[in-house]
């Protein structure tokens, strides 16, 4: 039975819908567009860069035989989405999406149809409650085999008082050896002025942000084996494709194997 969609509150901006606006999508509301339109122009570039990093990372992992993905903070489906990238390489790939915005659930139910050989599922869940997401994911994914955990453009919405490192550690600890962590986090390292502007605009809308330095982002990967080229600007991370065109970037990203 398809779960009912909770009511959507359009009086407050939501990160998933602001992200959709930044990507040029139409599945957002005036309150989300109002936030996005006040951000510096580089914010649109950042959304695109995050998306392109996800495509490259998932394509690489699927090309290496990884056929199970848990994508938390999935956002509103924008083609090609993670399951489409994975199932191009491996039609039998199984993908579980999780997000805490009811609008994402509504679109997921309508749009996230996977390949006949694979499986695509969605849970209404919050990364700050990792056990609930893991319990649901176990009904779709085989946790006796490697799983790729995707946390793209999510952790900078989890502030220090919400225990981001503990949340990631809990998720990683549930995965078997040979799994992978794919993660990005916005940073003030390159342009502190722009980072401060973005943080201010989101906070005016009631959304707290946690931009992190390289050292702070690196802590999410403690004990894991970083794949080359390591923790870098997302525009500099690539494996199987030719190098992306150089451009200004304010986001760190990496893929790491869980030993």
């Amino acid at each position: 039975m398809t779960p009912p969609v909770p009511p959507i509150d359009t009086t407050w901006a939501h990160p998933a819908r602001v992200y959709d606006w930044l990507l040029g999508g139409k599945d957002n509301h005036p309150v989300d567009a109002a936030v996005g339109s006040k951000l510096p122009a580089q914010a649109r570039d950042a959304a695109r860069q995050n998306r392109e990093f996800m495509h490259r990372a998932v394509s690489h992992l699927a090309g290496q035989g990884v056929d199970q993905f848990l994508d938390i903070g999935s956002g509103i489906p924008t083609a090609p989405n993670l399951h489409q990238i994975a199932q191009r390489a491996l039609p039998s790939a199984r993908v579980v999406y999780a997000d805490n915005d009811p609008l994402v659930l509504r679109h997921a139910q309508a749009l996230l149809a996977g390949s006949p050989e694979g499986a695509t599922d969605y849970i209404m869940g919050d990364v700050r409650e990792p056990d609930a997401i893991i319990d649901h994911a176990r009904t779709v994914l085989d946790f006796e085999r490697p799983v790729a955990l995707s946390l793209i453009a999510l952790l900078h919405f989890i502030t220090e008082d919400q225990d981001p490192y503990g949340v990631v550690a809990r998720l990683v600890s549930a995965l078997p050896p040979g799994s992978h962590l794919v993660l990005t986090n916005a940073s003030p390292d390159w342009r502190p002025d722009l980072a401060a502007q973005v943080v201010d605009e989101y906070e005016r809308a009631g959304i707290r942000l946690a931009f992190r330095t390289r050292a702070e982002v690196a802590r999410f990967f403690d004990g894991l084996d970083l794949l080359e080229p390591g923790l870098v600007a997302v525009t500099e991370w690539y494996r199987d494709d030719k190098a992306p065109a150089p451009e200004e970037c304010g986001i760190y990203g990496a893929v790491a194997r869980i030993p």
Side-chain angles (χ1 to χ4, degrees):
M1 179 182 295
T2 301
V5 179
I8 298 170
D9 186 353
T10 62
T11 62
W12 291 93
H14 189 282
R17 301 194 301 263
V18 176
Y19 191 58
D20 177 73
W21 186 90
L22 292 171
L23 287 170
K26 299 179 180 178
D27 299 311
N28 50 78
H29 298 286
V31 66
D32 308 302
V35 175
S37 64
K38 294 176 183 175
L39 297 175
Q42 290 87 344
R44 289 195 178 197
D45 292 333
R48 171 183 53 79
Q49 292 163 352
N50 254 304
R51 196 83 185 162
E52 292 171 350
F53 166 83
M54 183 272 284
H55 290 170
R56 293 193 297 273
V58 171
S59 178
H60 171 71
L61 291 175
Q64 298 299 307
V66 178
D67 64 354
Q68 300 192 107
F69 294 83
L70 173 57
D71 183 24
I72 305 177
S74 55
I76 295 166
T78 302
N81 214 358
L82 188 151
H83 72 285
Q84 294 166 316
I85 300 294
Q87 291 175 354
R88 282 177 188 172
L90 294 170
S92 61
R94 305 175 74 83
V95 179
V96 173
Y97 291 103
D99 202 286
N100 66 352
D101 182 7
L103 183 62
V104 176
L105 173 59
R106 177 173 294 172
H107 285 277
Q109 291 173 345
L111 299 176
L112 293 181
S115 65
E117 303 94 329
T120 307
D121 196 22
Y122 181 88
I123 177 177
M124 181 83 179
D126 192 310
V127 71
R128 293 166 294 188
E129 299 176 351
D131 288 330
I133 294 176
I134 292 168
D135 288 345
H136 177 88
R138 288 185 187 277
T139 68
V140 179
L141 307 178
D142 178 4
F143 275 59
E144 297 298 316
R145 298 192 301 107
V147 175
L149 170 64
S150 173
L151 303 174
I152 300 293
L154 174 64
L155 272 302
H156 46 244
F157 293 105
I158 308 300
T159 52
E160 299 310 304
D161 60 304
Q162 297 171 324
D163 191 22
Y165 298 106
V167 166
V168 173
R170 173 67 189 104
L171 290 166
V172 167
S173 71
L175 304 179
S179 295
H180 290 82
L181 172 63
V182 184
L183 181 151
T184 68
N185 201 123
S187 176
D189 285 357
W190 292 276
R191 291 288 302 272
D193 55 333
L194 291 181
Q197 183 181 346
V198 170
V199 169
D200 288 346
E201 291 298 341
Y202 270 101
E203 289 190 347
R204 287 191 182 97
I207 300 171
R208 298 165 65 202
L209 283 179
F211 281 26
R212 295 184 170 94
T213 65
R214 187 182 186 282
E216 290 169 335
V217 179
R219 283 184 57 195
F220 289 118
F221 298 96
D222 282 353
L224 309 184
D225 299 327
L226 286 169
L227 274 60
E228 292 293 337
L231 178 59
V232 295
V234 292
T235 52
E236 298 174 3
W237 197 99
Y238 67 99
R239 291 293 300 259
D240 310 306
D241 311 293
K242 63 181 181 180
E247 58 179 323
E248 185 179 73
C249 180
I251 307 163
Y252 285 115
V255 179
R257 185 179 184 275
I258 299 170

mmCIF file of all heavy atoms in Angstrom, residues 64 78 92 115 117 129 152 181 232 235 237 242:
data_model
loop_
_atom_site.group_PDB
_atom_site.id
_atom_site.type_symbol
_atom_site.label_atom_id
_atom_site.label_comp_id
_atom_site.label_asym_id
_atom_site.label_seq_id
_atom_site.Cartn_x
_atom_site.Cartn_y
_atom_site.Cartn_z
ATOM 1 N N GLN A 64 32.119 -0.354 -10.980
ATOM 2 C CA GLN A 64 32.941 -1.287 -10.217
ATOM 3 C C GLN A 64 32.120 -2.424 -9.618
ATOM 4 O O GLN A 64 32.643 -3.241 -8.862
ATOM 5 C CB GLN A 64 33.680 -0.545 -9.100
ATOM 6 C CG GLN A 64 34.650 0.520 -9.595
ATOM 7 C CD GLN A 64 35.756 -0.065 -10.456
ATOM 8 O OE1 GLN A 64 36.449 -0.995 -10.055
ATOM 9 N NE2 GLN A 64 35.908 0.470 -11.658
ATOM 10 N N THR A 78 15.386 14.815 -10.090
ATOM 11 C CA THR A 78 15.808 15.574 -11.262
ATOM 12 C C THR A 78 16.591 14.626 -12.159
ATOM 13 O O THR A 78 17.612 14.093 -11.759
ATOM 14 C CB THR A 78 16.699 16.767 -10.867
ATOM 15 O OG1 THR A 78 15.986 17.605 -9.958
ATOM 16 C CG2 THR A 78 17.099 17.574 -12.087
ATOM 17 N N SER A 92 20.181 -4.301 -12.518
ATOM 18 C CA SER A 92 19.667 -4.948 -11.321
ATOM 19 C C SER A 92 19.936 -4.142 -10.049
ATOM 20 O O SER A 92 19.618 -4.607 -8.945
ATOM 21 C CB SER A 92 20.292 -6.342 -11.163
ATOM 22 O OG SER A 92 21.702 -6.237 -11.035
ATOM 23 N N SER A 115 14.421 0.268 -13.154
ATOM 24 C CA SER A 115 14.439 -0.754 -14.189
ATOM 25 C C SER A 115 13.666 -1.981 -13.708
ATOM 26 O O SER A 115 13.570 -2.229 -12.500
ATOM 27 C CB SER A 115 15.880 -1.141 -14.522
ATOM 28 O OG SER A 115 16.482 -1.754 -13.400
ATOM 29 N N GLU A 117 14.538 -4.994 -13.721
ATOM 30 C CA GLU A 117 15.422 -5.949 -13.045
ATOM 31 C C GLU A 117 15.808 -5.499 -11.641
ATOM 32 O O GLU A 117 16.165 -6.315 -10.795
ATOM 33 C CB GLU A 117 16.711 -6.155 -13.855
ATOM 34 C CG GLU A 117 16.473 -6.620 -15.274
ATOM 35 C CD GLU A 117 16.432 -5.447 -16.257
ATOM 36 O OE1 GLU A 117 16.001 -4.340 -15.859
ATOM 37 O OE2 GLU A 117 16.845 -5.660 -17.411
ATOM 38 N N GLU A 129 17.620 10.780 12.392
ATOM 39 C CA GLU A 129 17.066 9.555 12.977
ATOM 40 C C GLU A 129 17.538 8.377 12.123
ATOM 41 O O GLU A 129 16.767 7.731 11.416
ATOM 42 C CB GLU A 129 15.543 9.635 13.028
ATOM 43 C CG GLU A 129 15.036 10.795 13.885
ATOM 44 C CD GLU A 129 13.528 10.942 13.857
ATOM 45 O OE1 GLU A 129 12.875 10.244 13.045
ATOM 46 O OE2 GLU A 129 13.000 11.739 14.645
ATOM 47 N N ILE A 152 24.750 13.661 -0.216
ATOM 48 C CA ILE A 152 25.140 14.744 -1.115
ATOM 49 C C ILE A 152 24.438 16.037 -0.705
ATOM 50 O O ILE A 152 23.211 16.097 -0.631
ATOM 51 C CB ILE A 152 24.776 14.397 -2.575
ATOM 52 C CG1 ILE A 152 25.505 13.125 -3.023
ATOM 53 C CG2 ILE A 152 25.105 15.570 -3.507
ATOM 54 C CD1 ILE A 152 27.001 13.254 -3.128
ATOM 55 N N LEU A 181 31.109 5.358 1.261
ATOM 56 C CA LEU A 181 30.484 6.614 1.673
ATOM 57 C C LEU A 181 30.775 7.660 0.610
ATOM 58 O O LEU A 181 31.935 7.897 0.261
ATOM 59 C CB LEU A 181 31.044 7.066 3.021
ATOM 60 C CG LEU A 181 30.625 8.472 3.490
ATOM 61 C CD1 LEU A 181 29.117 8.551 3.704
ATOM 62 C CD2 LEU A 181 31.373 8.854 4.777
ATOM 63 N N VAL A 232 38.550 16.566 -2.133
ATOM 64 C CA VAL A 232 38.894 17.709 -2.981
ATOM 65 C C VAL A 232 37.624 18.502 -3.285
ATOM 66 O O VAL A 232 36.511 18.097 -2.936
ATOM 67 C CB VAL A 232 39.533 17.231 -4.311
ATOM 68 C CG1 VAL A 232 40.871 16.551 -4.060
ATOM 69 C CG2 VAL A 232 38.588 16.286 -5.065
ATOM 70 N N THR A 235 34.461 19.741 -8.068
ATOM 71 C CA THR A 235 34.788 19.913 -9.483
ATOM 72 C C THR A 235 36.098 19.240 -9.856
ATOM 73 O O THR A 235 36.418 19.107 -11.045
ATOM 74 C CB THR A 235 34.890 21.415 -9.820
ATOM 75 O OG1 THR A 235 35.790 22.037 -8.879
ATOM 76 C CG2 THR A 235 33.527 22.082 -9.718
ATOM 77 N N TRP A 237 36.907 16.123 -8.557
ATOM 78 C CA TRP A 237 36.796 14.682 -8.305
ATOM 79 C C TRP A 237 36.290 13.985 -9.568
ATOM 80 O O TRP A 237 35.189 14.257 -10.049
ATOM 81 C CB TRP A 237 35.836 14.392 -7.155
ATOM 82 C CG TRP A 237 35.995 12.992 -6.602
ATOM 83 C CD1 TRP A 237 36.684 12.625 -5.502
ATOM 84 C CD2 TRP A 237 35.465 11.776 -7.165
ATOM 85 N NE1 TRP A 237 36.632 11.261 -5.323
ATOM 86 C CE2 TRP A 237 35.888 10.709 -6.336
ATOM 87 C CE3 TRP A 237 34.680 11.490 -8.281
ATOM 88 C CZ2 TRP A 237 35.556 9.372 -6.586
ATOM 89 C CZ3 TRP A 237 34.356 10.159 -8.553
ATOM 90 C CH2 TRP A 237 34.786 9.120 -7.700
ATOM 91 N N LYS A 242 36.837 12.133 -18.294
ATOM 92 C CA LYS A 242 37.915 13.117 -18.405
ATOM 93 C C LYS A 242 37.674 14.214 -17.373
ATOM 94 O O LYS A 242 36.559 14.402 -16.876
ATOM 95 C CB LYS A 242 37.958 13.690 -19.817
ATOM 96 C CG LYS A 242 36.726 14.459 -20.256
ATOM 97 C CD LYS A 242 36.904 14.952 -21.690
ATOM 98 C CE LYS A 242 35.673 15.743 -22.128
ATOM 99 N NZ LYS A 242 35.836 16.231 -23.523
#
